[in-house]
Amino acid sequence: MAYRARRLVRLSLLFLLTAFAVRPCAAVDARFDLVGPRINVRVTRAGVTLPISEVPNLQPGDRLWLHPDLPSTQSVHYLLICVFLRGTTNPPPDDWFTRIETWDRHVREEGVFVTVPKEAQQAVLFLAPETGGDFSTLKSAVRGRPGVFVRASQDLAEAGFEQSRIEKYLADIRRAPPSDPAALQKHSDLLARTLALKPNENCFKQPVDMQFTCLTQTGSQSLLDDGHSNSIVSALSNGPGSDLINAASYTQLAGGGLYSAYVGAVVDLVRLMGNLHTAQYQYIPAIAFPQGDAMNLRLNTPPSFHNPKSVLVIGLPSVQPSPTPPLRPADPSDVACMIKPTVVLPIEGAPLVFSTALAHDLVLHLNVPPGAPPEPDIPLIADAYQGGLVLQREPEHHVPLHDELAPAALDHPGESRPARPAPPPKPQPEPIRLTGTIQGQWGFDSFVGPTVPLQQLPGSNWQIASTDDAPTGKLIAGHTAQLLITSTGSACVHTITAQPRGSGNDLKIAFKPAPTADQPNLLAITLPLDKDITPGDLHIEIQQYSQPRADELSTRTFSEPPHIQSVEIHAADRTLLATGERLNEVDKVSLGDLTFKPRPATPNSDPADTPEPSNTLRLALPSDAPAPPTKVGDQLTARVQLRDGRSLTVPVTVSAPRPVVTLLSKRSELPGIPIITLTSADDLPLSAPLTFTLKSTESFPRNGRVEIETLDGTLRAVLTLAPSGGLVLQDPHTIVASLDPLRVFGPSAFGALHLRAIFPASARKHDKETGPGPGADTAVEDEASSDWLPLGTLVRLPELTTLQCPADSTLACSLSGTDLFLIDAISSDPAFGSPSPVPDGYTGTTISVPHPAAAGTLFLKLRDDPNPVDSATFAMPALPPAHAHTREHEHATGHAHPEAAKPETAKPLSQD
């Protein structure tokens, strides 16, 4: 039987905790949604009378005015009985029962006064239909089981206060626009904080059009779910009913309105009343919702006028001292701006301050500095929807200037002009910060609440805070950044906007207080610096309340700084190598008093014009600077200066001295008698084999190599001492190198070349100890390289065949050949007075050119190197002998004549 009883209780709780629209069949129904009668109550203490809605507790000697507000058409006579209780084990005396006949004319018109006895602890009202022996029957029931009605009184009061919080939430959340999810979330959070509730978070995961409905239909169990439900379920499921009936709820009203087992109390209350009945009476609970002096009653079951008739049980405030409401600031560091149109003090800790009228006559008392005239108190209204106490200020009136006098008083003849009043004394500057203390009444008692900081003037002297947490150099375009700003007061900021460079629109900036112990007026602003923002100046406008103009701040945004993995310098070297990312932003590197500047890609180019960043950057000292006295093992730190003014510090690795290699000579000639003569010694025909000689300060190892690259690193060749590797040692320090550029790089190769020699470290050590000899394989990181040396510029030559000119020198000539698009322009004189440009991508075999000033000689500028002026000389007489023709063909095309071709036997050069 005990198991079945516990199972029935569990099922009853399950039905209670679900917000179904259909009522369960069981007698336990916790939804008090039936409108009951109304009883007017006032309480008088020490000559002060308050409506029942403003009375949190009763005291012995209080005088209650009871007035049943029943309709004039009431057909059933109701008996109102006021009973005072003094504990669960001490029945009240007979004179603590007051019988009030509600149908009596005197009662209907004037009400009845009842005084709280000295030893009373609880007060209960009964509203019962008139029957024979009704008063004595009810008195017997109360005196026979006083603990039941003590518990009923407490549970009714607590249930009413908890339900007031829930209904306050449901009523206020309807003030938020249903179609605005941000407003719903914001005000739901404010209501939950001030009313100490926990709304159903799943509502905010639903579609926008369903969130409002979900919040307003949430059951009581969700709103009051603060982690105590498990204890209620356990008590209802496992505890015997007698324990629930006899247990007293000591949850203090205290203005705290803390969770008082609302669900469990109502279930217990309904079961309690259901088990307490006689043949004539069935007791049903009525929860009171005070409004003014009216106690509006709600029932959970319809009253019965057949035996057993229904007796309504109504709880009154307990007869006990009531602590003041424990109000506290939601954020102790929050400063309220007194010049805002609406000032809300974020206060929490006492939900009943916001859901009932128990706290009244609330004011904010301004604590002015000593010697200053007192300021009038400002009324406060508790508004859970706005999350705190709202100041109620009268609108400021315009004070007329002294010159604004009525014209009639000035312009009538014969009347003297009134004397100009003396100007008022110049007011002393007001303090920008002060404090205010919350004061008010809690029932009959006055209380003093928390003191909050206030700001009464706009902030000035706005600056970017110089803190280590938010240096301005961290404002990187493409990344959201936080900036700290400060002033004399930051509480009155309305909006902050920013206009980055390159953006035509103002950005709305989010901000929040971030005070510290030494900087109380600190604001943290979040700058959404997306990737489309151009690095540069950033203008910030700070608009404060009541200010006609915004305050301005300026700072800078920067590009992503380079990531420097390492900086390496070889001992006594005049160059250093930086490795990392975005190195094109580096302006210079300082090592002590030595300054290294980036080495340009070409002798006349600017390093800042590098189109794409490289992962390595070579920097060099000025040509007239001496070599630094660096040694292996030195602990050095370099300061990297960026082009936008920022600087970085990175450690420097000092490596072993680099080998020094010099270029002794080079030769690149086309076979035969060439038509085109290159005037620049640095121009290297792509179709001509290249031979050059290097001189090394160290013995060149057998496993050493020479690397040849274009400046952008897209074309690369490696020469070694292997057979057909392209290198031959004349002696241990002299290397002769051969390279066929056309075969190694292909027909599209052009541009400047540079070279360097690679010396494996183990081979260098071996050479120093034993002299040159076969070396062992080494890892790449053990290698040392010489500095890059310029080798020359690869140029491609067109194949020119004939030049036909008319006898009339004023007429143009016709130039025949192939690959004429490799020519940039042609002129008849070396000064290029009247050049003839060759169109881009020209694929024809003949082109009109100016008549040469000198017989058979034209002047060219090649596309691969348009700076020097080259010449082309044509033999005008008859064809040359057969063998001469063959050599000319080899020169023009870069390939041997078919009759002179021989099988290729040499292996190609090593190439990456």
Side-chain angles (χ1 to χ4, degrees):
M1 292 295 293
Y3 171 79
R4 293 184 59 188
R6 289 195 298 267
R7 182 174 177 84
L8 286 175
V9 173
R10 291 191 185 100
L11 292 175
S12 299
L13 180 63
L14 178 63
F15 277 106
L16 174 66
L17 296 180
T18 55
F20 291 151
V22 181
R23 290 178 178 270
C25 297
V28 178
D29 190 346
R31 292 185 300 170
F32 286 77
D33 52 4
L34 298 178
V35 177
R38 184 170 64 183
I39 300 176
N40 298 328
V41 181
R42 297 177 193 154
V43 182
T44 301
R45 181 185 305 171
V48 178
T49 300
L50 293 179
I52 190 61
S53 62
E54 297 181 4
V55 179
N57 69 309
L58 299 176
Q59 292 289 348
D62 286 351
R63 194 179 186 196
L64 306 183
W65 176 74
L66 304 177
H67 178 260
D69 188 4
L70 300 178
S72 58
T73 58
Q74 179 71 37
S75 59
V76 176
H77 286 177
Y78 267 100
L79 190 67
L80 179 63
I81 302 174
C82 177
V83 181
F84 295 101
L85 305 171
R86 57 183 179 184
T88 60
T89 60
N90 192 3
D94 290 343
D95 57 352
W96 284 17
F97 292 81
T98 302
R99 185 177 186 273
I100 303 172
E101 297 178 348
T102 62
W103 60 90
D104 182 84
R105 184 179 62 83
H106 179 77
V107 172
R108 294 175 63 89
E109 292 179 355
E110 299 183 7
V112 176
F113 288 94
V114 179
T115 301
V116 179
K118 183 177 182 180
E119 297 180 359
Q121 297 179 6
Q122 283 84 27
V124 183
L125 298 178
F126 295 93
L127 198 62
E130 181 192 19
T131 61
D134 42 23
F135 182 67
S136 59
T137 301
L138 191 144
K139 181 188 298 185
S140 175
V142 173
R143 288 178 55 81
R145 303 181 67 180
V148 171
F149 295 98
V150 169
R151 176 63 186 270
S153 172
Q154 295 171 338
D155 286 349
L156 284 171
E158 292 299 329
F161 286 124
E162 301 294 7
Q163 187 65 25
S164 71
R165 293 158 57 195
I166 296 171
E167 296 200 0
K168 180 65 174 177
Y169 174 90
L170 297 176
D172 278 7
I173 198 64
R174 289 182 171 88
R175 295 166 60 182
S179 58
D180 188 347
L184 280 174
Q185 177 76 65
K186 171 187 174 182
H187 291 289
S188 178
D189 292 343
L190 294 176
L191 287 167
R193 176 172 59 78
T194 53
L195 298 175
L197 300 178
K198 185 178 181 181
N200 188 353
E201 296 180 357
N202 292 327
C203 290
F204 298 105
K205 300 177 182 179
Q206 298 186 16
V208 175
D209 55 347
M210 297 295 295
Q211 292 181 11
F212 179 80
T213 303
C214 176
L215 288 172
T216 55
Q217 291 184 353
T218 299
S220 302
Q221 75 286 355
S222 294
L223 287 172
L224 291 173
D225 182 12
D226 59 356
H228 296 275
S229 299
N230 291 335
S231 61
I232 300 170
V233 174
S234 176
L236 290 176
S237 302
N238 302 321
S242 60
D243 292 343
L244 289 174
I245 293 175
N246 295 325
S249 172
Y250 292 106
T251 302
Q252 293 182 336
L253 177 58
L258 302 179
Y259 180 80
S260 62
Y262 168 71
V263 177
V266 172
V267 171
D268 188 25
L269 180 64
V270 175
R271 292 176 58 249
L272 179 70
M273 295 292 99
N275 293 330
L276 184 64
H277 63 276
T278 64
Q280 288 184 323
Y281 286 142
Q282 171 71 49
Y283 296 88
I284 63 175
I287 294 181
F289 293 89
Q291 186 174 8
D293 60 3
M295 296 182 66
N296 302 297
L297 304 181
R298 291 191 196 171
L299 314 176
N300 72 316
T301 185
S304 172
F305 298 99
H306 298 286
N307 287 336
K309 296 180 175 63
S310 298
V311 176
L312 305 185
V313 183
I314 308 159
L316 289 175
S318 298
V319 185
Q320 62 179 5
S322 178
T324 57
L327 292 173
R328 63 176 182 269
D331 182 2
S333 63
D334 182 75
V335 180
C337 175
M338 300 297 288
I339 58 177
K340 289 177 63 174
T342 301
V343 182
V344 179
L345 305 179
I347 299 296
E348 62 183 14
L352 295 184
V353 170
F354 298 93
S355 63
T356 69
L358 298 177
H360 54 92
D361 297 326
L362 299 175
V363 297
L364 179 66
H365 176 75
L366 300 180
N367 303 313
V368 298
E375 294 285 345
D377 294 340
I378 304 175
L380 297 173
I381 295 294
D383 190 345
Y385 180 77
Q386 299 193 57
L389 304 179
V390 183
L391 272 67
Q392 304 295 303
R393 297 176 298 187
E394 296 182 0
E396 298 180 0
H397 298 285
H398 173 67
V399 179
L401 301 176
H402 295 291
D403 288 337
E404 294 178 349
L405 300 177
L410 302 178
D411 299 335
H412 284 239
E415 294 185 5
S416 62
R417 185 182 183 93
R420 182 185 298 271
K426 186 176 182 180
Q428 297 296 322
E430 297 183 47
I432 191 170
R433 294 285 294 271
L434 72 160
T435 61
T437 302
I438 298 172
Q439 301 175 356
Q441 294 291 125
W442 181 250
F444 291 96
D445 303 324
S446 60
F447 74 94
V448 177
T451 297
V452 295
L454 309 172
Q455 178 178 328
Q456 62 177 344
L457 295 175
S460 59
N461 191 26
W462 287 95
Q463 298 177 13
I464 296 176
S466 56
T467 64
D468 295 336
D469 296 332
T472 57
K474 286 189 177 180
L475 302 182
I476 308 301
H479 298 270
T480 299
Q482 189 177 80
L483 188 66
L484 299 179
I485 60 176
T486 184
S487 73
T488 57
S490 59
C492 294
V493 175
H494 183 206
T495 59
I496 298 180
T497 57
Q499 187 174 38
R501 178 185 177 187
S503 174
N505 300 322
D506 289 341
L507 299 177
K508 190 172 183 180
I509 305 302
F511 61 92
K512 62 180 180 181
T516 61
D518 55 342
Q519 290 182 309
N521 299 310
L522 206 61
L523 279 184
I525 63 177
T526 302
L527 300 171
L529 304 176
D530 57 50
K531 62 181 180 180
D532 296 329
I533 291 178
T534 304
D537 293 338
L538 178 68
H539 299 287
I540 301 174
E541 292 189 349
I542 304 164
Q543 182 63 59
Q544 300 185 77
Y545 290 102
S546 79
Q547 292 295 90
R549 297 183 58 184
D551 297 284
E552 295 184 355
L553 271 179
S554 293
T555 182
R556 291 190 64 192
T557 59
F558 299 87
S559 59
E560 187 77 23
H563 173 63
I564 300 178
Q565 297 175 348
S566 63
V567 174
E568 180 185 13
I569 185 173
H570 292 272
D573 202 351
R574 302 180 70 256
T575 66
L576 55 80
L577 181 68
T579 304
E581 299 176 355
R582 298 178 294 276
L583 299 178
N584 59 332
E585 299 181 24
V586 175
D587 179 59
K588 60 183 178 182
V589 174
S590 298
L591 195 61
D593 56 354
L594 302 177
T595 301
F596 296 78
K597 299 286 287 185
R599 177 177 291 177
T602 59
N604 297 323
S605 64
D606 186 349
D609 296 334
T610 305
E612 294 294 336
S614 174
N615 60 353
T616 61
L617 178 65
R618 177 71 65 180
L619 301 99
L621 291 170
S623 58
D624 56 350
T630 53
K631 303 182 298 297
V632 177
D634 286 349
Q635 302 293 327
L636 303 177
T637 300
R639 185 176 186 85
V640 181
Q641 190 76 26
L642 306 184
R643 301 188 185 279
D644 55 19
R646 291 175 293 174
S647 62
L648 309 171
T649 56
V650 293
V652 177
T653 301
V654 181
S655 303
R658 288 198 302 167
V660 179
V661 175
T662 56
L663 181 63
L664 295 182
S665 62
K666 62 182 176 182
R667 183 173 61 88
S668 177
E669 294 183 359
L670 290 168
I673 303 175
I675 294 179
I676 299 177
T677 301
L678 301 178
T679 59
S680 173
D682 288 331
D683 285 349
L684 307 175
L686 177 65
S687 56
L690 172 63
T691 303
F692 56 92
T693 303
L694 300 175
K695 191 72 172 181
S696 172
T697 57
E698 298 182 14
S699 297
F700 191 80
R702 295 290 180 177
N703 58 349
R705 63 187 185 273
V706 174
E707 293 181 351
I708 303 173
E709 288 185 0
T710 53
L711 296 186
D712 57 7
T714 57
L715 297 177
R716 182 168 177 262
V718 179
L719 307 181
T720 67
L721 292 175
S724 303
L727 296 183
V728 176
L729 286 178
Q730 172 185 307
D731 54 53
H733 298 276
T734 308
I735 308 104
V736 178
S738 300
L739 176 69
D740 187 346
L742 179 62
R743 181 161 57 88
V744 174
F745 296 134
S748 295
F750 60 90
L753 297 176
H754 58 177
L755 64 87
R756 66 176 178 176
I758 306 296
F759 291 71
S762 59
R764 295 178 66 200
K765 180 178 179 182
H766 176 79
D767 288 346
K768 291 179 180 179
E769 295 176 354
T770 65
D777 293 336
T778 57
V780 174
E781 56 267 21
D782 294 333
E783 296 177 340
S785 63
S786 68
D787 197 3
W788 286 101
L789 299 177
L791 181 58
T793 302
L794 279 181
V795 294
R796 295 165 295 174
L797 302 179
E799 183 180 350
L800 304 181
T801 55
T802 59
L803 177 65
Q804 296 179 351
C805 296
D808 188 351
S809 61
T810 62
L811 300 178
C813 299
S814 176
L815 175 62
S816 299
T818 58
D819 298 337
L820 299 179
F821 60 86
L822 297 175
I823 303 174
D824 181 64
I826 303 173
S827 177
S828 60
D829 62 279
F832 263 69
S834 299
S836 295
V838 177
D840 290 342
Y842 182 73
T843 59
T845 57
T846 61
I847 190 171
S848 296
V849 296
H851 201 290
T857 301
L858 291 175
F859 297 92
L860 315 173
K861 286 188 176 182
L862 300 176
R863 290 191 185 274
D864 293 342
D865 189 5
N867 292 322
V869 177
D870 304 318
S871 61
T873 304
F874 296 88
M876 306 302 283
L879 290 174
H883 66 278
H885 174 75
T886 300
R887 294 181 63 189
E888 182 180 334
H889 179 85
E890 293 176 7
H891 162 73
T893 63
H895 300 283
H897 191 275
E899 297 179 359
K902 294 182 180 180
E904 182 66 44
T905 58
K907 293 182 180 180
L909 298 178
S910 173
Q911 180 180 5
D912 288 350

